[in-house]
Amino acid sequence: MRIGVVCEGPSDYPAIEHFVGVALADLGISATFRSLHPEMDRTRPTGGWASVLTRFKRYTAQTRIQKYFNGGLFGGDLGEDHLDAILVHLDSDVLEDVSFKKFVLKEYGVSIVTASNPRARAQEVEKVLAGAAEMSILSSSDRKRHVFFPAIESTEAWCVSAFSGKPIKANYLNGNALRDAFMSALEASEGKSPKHAYENVDKSATRRERFCKKHSKGAGRISRNCVVFRSSMRKLANV
């Protein structure tokens, strides 16, 4: 299965490639991933929610179908750009961002509703992505091949679940608690003594790649602990 990935930043891509890849392998599906956004070979790849949404302005629905799906499910010959699915990631922690709310209301007519539980927060993210990706004008087969993959609250929560051998409700970690849990896991993974608290989340793509690859076998724990990850995995596997 060839999967194109549109994600917020270089530190998110390793989490998708390794954790989603292993989760698919556990289902008997062999997958290869290709970063459509950000472009990982760029010296300073752009990132964030705005860059994901802007990507869909540059690559409209029809452009994506022709380039990646070869004119539709049964159209055209398979080329090197051919994909079986496009996975689109966005962190749900953006839902409280005022500039994000204003942007999606203006651009897509989507009004963000306050939501607290993981499933509801995922639905709000998916509403925005459906507007950005012009899902309403796609055929049912091409809609199915666009798999929205919200991270609740961010892919750092997946990392915490993959690392921890204990059951943890990672979907409910946010803010400082998620920051400290992730950074503690990252530093412990590297043989360092974790601190009680941290100022920032380390976004080094190289460091994140090492962590996600090392703990990729913990993908099953992510599926068990993160209801939204599990739901998104089912959609991807159904492609």
Side-chain angles (χ1 to χ4, degrees), residues 49 93-105 112:
W49 64 263
D93 61 7
V94 74
L95 294 175
E96 283 70 43
D97 186 322
V98 174
S99 60
F100 175 77
K101 291 180 178 181
K102 289 181 177 178
F103 181 88
V104 300
L105 181 59
I112 299 297

Side-chain angles (χ1 to χ4, degrees), residues 1 3 15-16 18-29 31 33 87 126 147-150 158 219-220 222-224 226-239:
M1 185 177 188
I3 303 170
I16 294 167
H18 294 294
F19 297 146
V20 175
V22 167
L24 285 172
D26 288 343
L27 297 174
I29 301 171
F33 296 85
L87 183 158
E126 289 172 352
V147 180
F148 299 148
F149 222 106
W158 301 354
I222 306 175
S223 291
R224 291 191 294 275
C226 303
V227 62
V228 173
F229 182 94
R230 185 166 62 248
S231 175
S232 299
M233 277 298 308
R234 283 197 294 268
K235 295 175 185 176
L236 187 59
N238 285 338
V239 175

